[in-house]
Amino acid sequence: MHLFDTLLVQPIINVLVVFYHIVSFVHIPYALGFSIILMTIFVRLLLYPLTASQLKISKKMQDLAPHLSNIKEKHKGDLKKQQEATMALYKEHNVNPAAGCLPSLVQIVILLFGLYPALQKIIALNPKETVSVVNHMVYFPSLQLVQPWDTHFLGLALVKTPGQLITTVGPIVLLIPLLTGVLQLIQSKMMMSSQAPAIVKKGKEEDFATTFQKQSLYLLPVMIGFFSYNFSIGLSLYWNTFTIFGIIQQYLIAGLGGLEAWVNAIKKKK
């Protein structure tokens, strides 16, 4: 882990401190909270080329989904011919499914071993050790802190969880995990294909991938919303910012995706 601290955690903390000084300089309140938001957006922008590549490959795969279903139906029971026809389809449309693995892996490493531990380290500091710990990690003397930063955002302690705050703040704090779950649901739905699913004959079970996709659409947001009840406010701030940016990026590259059906349904009701 020491290698990840040097290569990922420390640079991210330096970026956070830079934004903290900028926000403090213009006298914006809750400087640390807004610095977390800006730092998250900055990292998202750095990862934009990787994410864009992954989303484009994912969209191509979604567009080919009906053709893949036809191949399975046409060569049912003949795995070799299915593989040959699938590879020919990929070659025809210039698609390499494996090409999306590397961007995903790089992003996961940065998020799990860089952003997440960096924020964990920062928001867990008590005022007495903040200055010494942060100043030990910054690269330049001009970035050093002269006093501890305020660890509150909009009146909420960044180190506290909604579960810890519910007794003092009240049920309104539950809006945080609810928002986290809703944002994740929107992003998950957008990542699904906008095309109508292939028609399944009666008595025929859906394939595992289709069933898993339908279940995970709702299960994953519920799980993340549940977990965020025990996330610190600082981590929820980072996570929700990251998800909102992801939704915007998804829309710019691949459109509304599966969310289009929901949007159209809402428009019809109006």
Side-chain angles (χ1 to χ4, degrees), residues 52-106:
S53 174
Q54 179 190 357
L55 289 175
K56 289 175 182 177
I57 293 172
S58 177
K59 188 174 188 306
K60 286 183 178 180
M61 292 297 296
Q62 289 176 0
D63 293 340
L64 293 179
H67 300 287
L68 293 172
S69 297
N70 291 336
I71 289 174
K72 288 182 179 180
E73 185 66 27
K74 183 178 180 180
H75 302 290
K76 182 180 178 182
D78 193 331
L79 186 59
K80 184 178 180 181
K81 286 189 176 181
Q82 283 185 25
Q83 291 175 341
E84 290 175 351
T86 299
M87 295 308 296
L89 180 67
Y90 289 157
K91 186 175 181 180
E92 178 186 351
H93 292 272
N94 193 28
V95 175
N96 181 7
C101 296
L102 181 59
S104 299
L105 181 60
V106 172

Side-chain angles (χ1 to χ4, degrees), residues 99-142:
C101 296
L102 181 59
S104 299
L105 181 60
V106 172
Q107 292 179 76
I108 290 172
V109 169
I110 292 175
L111 295 178
L112 292 184
F113 299 104
L115 264 173
Y116 184 82
L119 287 176
Q120 282 279 61
K121 184 184 291 287
I122 286 299
I123 62 179
L125 294 174
N126 62 56
K128 293 181 179 180
E129 61 182 359
T130 298
V131 175
S132 60
V133 172
V134 172
N135 289 352
H136 179 72
M137 299 190 72
V138 296
Y139 297 136
F140 308 106
S142 58

